[in-house]
Amino acid sequence: MNFITFSETNLRAFTYNVFKKMGCSDAHAELATDVLIRSDLRGIDSHGVARLSGYIRLWEKKRINATPDIKIVHETPTTATVDGDAGLGLVVAPFAMQVAIEKAEKYGSGWVSVKNSNHYGIAGYHALMAVEKDMIGISMTNASPLVAPTYANERLLGTNPMCYAFPAGKYPPVIVDMATSAAANGKLEIAQRANKSVPDGWVQDKTGENSTNPNELKNGGSLLPLGSDKDHGSHKGYGLSATVDILSAVLSGANYGPWVPPFVAFLEPSANPVGEGLGHFLGAMRVDGFRLAADFKNHLDNWVERFKNAKTIDPDKKVIIPGEPEYEFEQERKISGIPLIDVVVNDLNELANKLGIEGLK
Amino acid sequence: MNFITFSETNLRAFTYNVFKKMGCSDAHAELATDVLIRSDLRGIDSHGVARLSGYIRLWEKKRINATPDIKIVHETPTTATVDGDAGLGLVVAPFAMQVAIEKAEKYGSGWVSVKNSNHYGIAGYHALMAVEKDMIGISMTNASPLVAPTYANERLLGTNPMCYAFPAGKYPPVIVDMATSAAANGKLEIAQRANKSVPDGWVQDKTGENSTNPNELKNGGSLLPLGSDKDHGSHKGYGLSATVDILSAVLSGANYGPWVPPFVAFLEPSANPVGEGLGHFLGAMRVDGFRLAADFKNHLDNWVERFKNAKTIDPDKKVIIPGEPEYEFEQERKISGIPLIDVVVNDLNELANKLGIEGLK
């Protein structure tokens, strides 16, 4: 496995060209590019440009609309449902978060449930939009069914991430951004490439037996909810995933549970959908709706310091503040560039070739 | 271990008398009673009348104010901070949820962070107040530090529960109500009484080694976050617990992290608090702020049916809908009464004796 490093500028230009070839407007191409590049910068390689050819394949199958008419279809002063018109989640979710932020500016908080959308990239991107306005950002999405609820041996839920992001003072924002499964699918992919087994408690085989085979999903197996088994609270991971599914899709009119359309273009969406596309849930709350923003930030800084200075089992392994590793990646990669593994580079150059645009350089 | 069963009516009368002896107003005594009895009815025995003498001991130490002046100290149309004036969380949290509901009635959603409060009983009670109004209810609280974040060997977080509750149509509400630790402290207490070891992954000893001793907390050990270890996502349980702590306390001005005052009266609160009392976070969103309530309920019913009918590993173990077991307990115990274990009955009768009220009958 070899890495080739690209500057942020070059990777942005390439990604923008791909979205333009898809037929996106300049503004949408720029926004979708920003979501993907931010993911790579933040070290979440599984959700960055590595997904570009996946988006293109969905567009080729007409499951992504490159020129969506994204709009509010229902609202109160602080709540709304947005119809994404089958657009890229990468542009639909920022639209919805912008609605939430504007409502929060006027009324203190704003909450938007989204239907008829597609994969929205990293949850944290959208939540950070609120943080930049001194708001608390909340971001969730449902996803292709890969996870079996406790006791089941079929896939009924996605890895359905939840993200809560908080503005700090002298420290980077605290960002809890997590799949509600024991392990995200990206971790299985890493084990597949390295030909390594995965820990017990990540996946089960199609009969429901524990498995350490990273390819188990291809054999009808399932990911397990956070908690892994009933004794260790898998019903909690299942409950969190259910919460994301209900807020994102039952509330908006998107597909939920096993009806969520698969991200991979070679699997067909359900012939009998219960809603439109997949769903997201975005929220923003003004910090100064509760107390002076400066007081909140001072206390969050104090919280961060106390946890950073916690007594640890291994003195060399400090307690990690949620969001800090991604922040550090971003500072470093903005300077030294974004490393991509060669299989991704080859895939992107094949894509460029197919679309008739310049390859990566 | 023997059980003695009491009727709901008798247990309510007893509990009301205890809160009246504490000096609560009629309305507060009735409300606090309702929160505790509802917990016992719903089968969450660890949070019901078994805690009465704990509340009394805190009141005796003047850490609970029986006649609080609970009030809003900061607000926007949809957000507020409530000062609980050191009252029982059992009455402070319903006050705050009522504020959230009234804001939601006017503006679609309402969000209240609470400081200067105490233990608030089961998270689900407060969230259900919103569900009864066709709203989605959210309820969280921080709690005495018992949980070590990933890599740490000191207790910096409580079991900090999160609850999300949704109104369904023909089915009971879907209620996800969970401690963000691998196991709640009540489960350790059950193992202690039964003199049994607990599964690996619930607790660590004071050096950070895994332990199966249910008494480990008395020896300086800690509970572990949901996920149990890094490989299985304990950083996610830690992140969720941090989210609850920040929304409940950093946002309101309550104590957070290791500064949260202990529930047990024999441990003194921090001499250098960073805020006032402990904190909660309550929210309400009108379902019809997003879509017609009837449509939401029909789809949530469909969601429930699909999950109930999931293929399971053991055909006799069906997938459990979050909130359903508690609902079934409530239906049954309303008729057949509430069983209490003899140690709890003896403890309550000693309490009655001390307070000069009639014992349980």
Side-chain angles (χ1 to χ4, degrees):
Chain A
M1 205 155 54
N2 290 311
F3 286 89
I4 309 165
T5 299
F6 298 90
S7 75
E8 180 188 345
T9 311
N10 279 353
L11 214 50
R12 271 187 195 272
F14 176 83
T15 306
Y16 177 85
N17 288 340
V18 172
F19 284 121
K20 284 300 294 178
K21 273 287 169 183
M22 197 191 257
C24 294
S25 68
D26 292 355
H28 278 179
E30 205 164 302
L31 178 55
T33 297
D34 195 49
V35 180
L36 294 190
I37 298 298
R38 194 94 196 261
S39 176
D40 282 312
L41 283 171
R42 293 174 67 79
I44 311 163
D45 303 348
S46 57
H47 284 56
V49 295
R51 291 215 177 219
L52 262 176
S53 34
Y55 292 113
I56 287 288
R57 281 192 291 269
L58 286 172
W59 166 71
E60 287 170 336
K61 284 226 159 183
K62 302 201 190 317
R63 284 168 53 190
I64 286 178
N65 173 6
T67 55
D69 177 20
I70 309 167
K71 55 175 184 279
I72 295 173
V73 291
H74 189 108
E75 71 180 316
T76 69
T78 67
T79 63
T81 295
V82 159
D83 182 335
D85 196 21
L88 284 161
L90 308 171
V91 302
V92 174
F95 176 98
M97 181 51 103
Q98 190 54 38
V99 172
I101 287 171
E102 282 165 21
K103 288 177 176 295
E105 275 164 355
K106 278 194 204 158
Y107 300 101
S109 71
W111 305 89
V112 181
S113 192
V114 180
K115 67 174 174 179
N116 207 359
S117 188
N118 282 287
H119 191 272
Y120 81 172
I122 48 169
Y125 182 92
H126 316 295
L128 273 170
M129 288 173 63
V131 168
E132 280 154 22
K133 306 275 184 185
D134 271 2
M135 296 179 183
I136 294 167
I138 292 102
S139 166
M140 307 180 185
T141 185
N142 69 5
S144 320
L146 296 174
V147 178
T150 306
Y151 298 144
N153 62 0
E154 58 172 332
R155 302 170 185 169
L156 295 181
L157 291 161
T159 53
N160 298 3
M162 303 192 135
C163 174
Y164 294 87
F166 305 93
K170 59 184 167 182
Y171 293 104
V174 174
I175 308 174
V176 176
D177 182 355
M178 48 171 269
T180 53
S181 48
N185 201 24
K187 291 203 176 170
L188 260 69
E189 288 164 3
I190 293 168
Q192 286 161 18
R193 281 196 294 266
N195 213 6
K196 280 190 177 159
S197 63
V198 296
D200 235 23
W202 285 17
V203 291
Q204 64 184 15
D205 71 13
K206 65 179 175 187
T207 69
E209 285 295 318
N210 240 307
S211 166
T212 58
N213 176 0
N215 296 296
E216 206 59 84
L217 265 62
K218 289 170 193 147
N219 309 327
S222 317
L223 288 171
L224 293 169
L226 176 58
S228 298
D229 58 42
K230 183 72 169 70
D231 259 0
H232 296 87
S234 65
H235 53 295
K236 298 178 183 185
Y238 152 44
L240 291 169
S241 186
T243 297
V244 173
D245 202 29
I246 296 168
L247 289 172
S248 301
V250 179
L251 194 55
S252 65
N255 289 292
Y256 43 81
W259 289 281
V260 176
F263 179 74
V264 289
F266 62 83
L267 290 178
E268 290 300 321
S270 165
N272 301 298
V274 293
E276 295 172 87
L278 61 74
H280 319 307
F281 184 73
L282 290 310
M285 292 190 290
R286 262 167 50 197
V287 166
D288 68 1
F290 297 91
R291 71 188 301 187
L292 288 179
D295 289 347
F296 175 82
K297 290 180 184 180
N298 284 340
H299 279 284
L300 191 52
D301 283 346
N302 188 46
W303 190 100
V304 166
E305 276 168 17
R306 182 65 185 85
F307 279 71
K308 270 179 175 297
N309 293 315
K311 266 200 321 185
T312 51
I313 300 164
D314 172 348
D316 293 334
K317 265 192 188 156
K318 309 305 288 178
V319 166
I320 293 168
I321 304 304
E324 199 179 71
E326 294 80 7
Y327 177 85
E328 284 171 358
F329 262 117
E330 192 165 3
Q331 306 314 304
E332 194 254 313
R333 289 189 171 183
K334 274 192 162 292
I335 294 164
S336 61
I338 295 166
L340 298 179
I341 56 171
D342 47 12
V343 290
V344 168
V345 177
N346 294 341
D347 176 66
L348 290 175
N349 280 329
E350 277 172 34
L351 180 68
N353 202 24
K354 183 169 80 171
L355 296 175
I357 59 171
E358 220 179 330
L360 276 171
K361 51 188 175 221
Chain B
M1 202 156 57
N2 291 311
F3 285 91
I4 308 165
T5 298
F6 297 90
S7 75
E8 180 189 344
T9 311
N10 280 352
L11 214 50
R12 270 188 195 272
F14 176 84
T15 307
Y16 177 85
N17 289 339
V18 172
F19 284 120
K20 284 300 293 177
K21 272 286 168 184
M22 197 192 259
C24 294
S25 68
D26 292 354
H28 277 181
E30 204 164 303
L31 179 55
T33 297
D34 196 48
V35 180
L36 293 191
I37 298 298
R38 193 93 196 261
S39 177
D40 282 312
L41 283 172
R42 292 174 68 79
I44 310 161
D45 303 348
S46 57
H47 284 57
V49 296
R51 291 216 176 219
L52 262 175
S53 34
Y55 291 114
I56 286 287
R57 282 191 292 268
L58 286 171
W59 167 70
E60 286 169 338
K61 285 227 158 184
K62 303 203 190 313
R63 286 170 50 192
I64 285 178
N65 173 6
T67 54
D69 178 20
I70 309 166
K71 54 175 184 282
I72 295 173
V73 291
H74 189 107
E75 69 180 318
T76 70
T78 66
T79 63
T81 296
V82 159
D83 182 335
D85 196 21
L88 284 161
L90 308 172
V91 302
V92 174
F95 176 99
M97 182 51 103
Q98 189 55 37
V99 172
I101 287 170
E102 283 165 20
K103 287 176 177 297
E105 275 164 355
K106 277 194 205 156
Y107 299 101
S109 72
W111 305 88
V112 181
S113 193
V114 180
K115 67 174 173 179
N116 206 1
S117 188
N118 282 288
H119 191 272
Y120 81 173
I122 47 169
Y125 182 92
H126 316 296
L128 273 170
M129 288 173 63
V131 168
E132 282 155 19
K133 307 273 184 186
D134 271 1
M135 295 178 183
I136 295 166
I138 291 100
S139 167
M140 306 180 187
T141 186
N142 69 5
S144 320
L146 296 174
V147 178
T150 306
Y151 298 144
N153 62 0
E154 59 171 333
R155 303 170 185 169
L156 294 181
L157 291 161
T159 54
N160 298 2
M162 303 192 134
C163 175
Y164 293 87
F166 305 93
K170 59 183 169 184
Y171 292 104
V174 174
I175 308 174
V176 176
D177 182 356
M178 47 172 270
T180 53
S181 49
N185 200 24
K187 291 204 175 169
L188 260 69
E189 288 165 4
I190 292 168
Q192 286 162 15
R193 281 196 294 267
N195 212 6
K196 281 189 175 158
S197 63
V198 296
D200 235 22
W202 286 16
V203 291
Q204 65 184 15
D205 71 14
K206 66 180 174 185
T207 69
E209 285 295 316
N210 240 309
S211 166
T212 58
N213 176 359
N215 297 297
E216 206 59 83
L217 264 61
K218 287 169 194 150
N219 309 327
S222 316
L223 288 171
L224 293 169
L226 176 59
S228 297
D229 59 41
K230 184 73 170 68
D231 260 0
H232 295 86
S234 66
H235 53 293
K236 298 178 183 186
Y238 153 44
L240 291 169
S241 187
T243 297
V244 173
D245 202 29
I246 296 168
L247 288 172
S248 302
V250 179
L251 194 56
S252 65
N255 288 292
Y256 43 82
W259 290 281
V260 176
F263 179 75
V264 290
F266 63 83
L267 290 178
E268 290 300 320
S270 165
N272 300 298
V274 293
E276 296 172 86
L278 60 74
H280 319 308
F281 184 73
L282 290 310
M285 293 191 288
R286 262 168 49 198
V287 166
D288 67 1
F290 297 92
R291 71 187 302 188
L292 288 178
D295 289 347
F296 175 82
K297 291 180 183 179
N298 284 340
H299 279 284
L300 191 52
D301 283 346
N302 188 46
W303 190 100
V304 166
E305 275 169 18
R306 182 65 184 84
F307 279 72
K308 270 179 176 295
N309 294 316
K311 265 200 323 187
T312 52
I313 300 165
D314 172 348
D316 293 333
K317 265 191 187 156
K318 309 304 287 177
V319 167
I320 293 168
I321 304 304
E324 199 179 71
E326 294 80 7
Y327 178 85
E328 284 171 359
F329 262 117
E330 192 165 3
Q331 305 315 304
E332 195 253 313
R333 288 188 172 184
K334 274 194 161 290
I335 295 164
S336 61
I338 296 166
L340 298 180
I341 55 171
D342 47 13
V343 288
V344 169
V345 176
N346 294 341
D347 176 66
L348 290 174
N349 280 328
E350 276 171 35
L351 181 68
N353 201 26
K354 183 170 82 173
L355 295 175
I357 59 171
E358 219 181 329
L360 275 172
K361 55 188 174 221

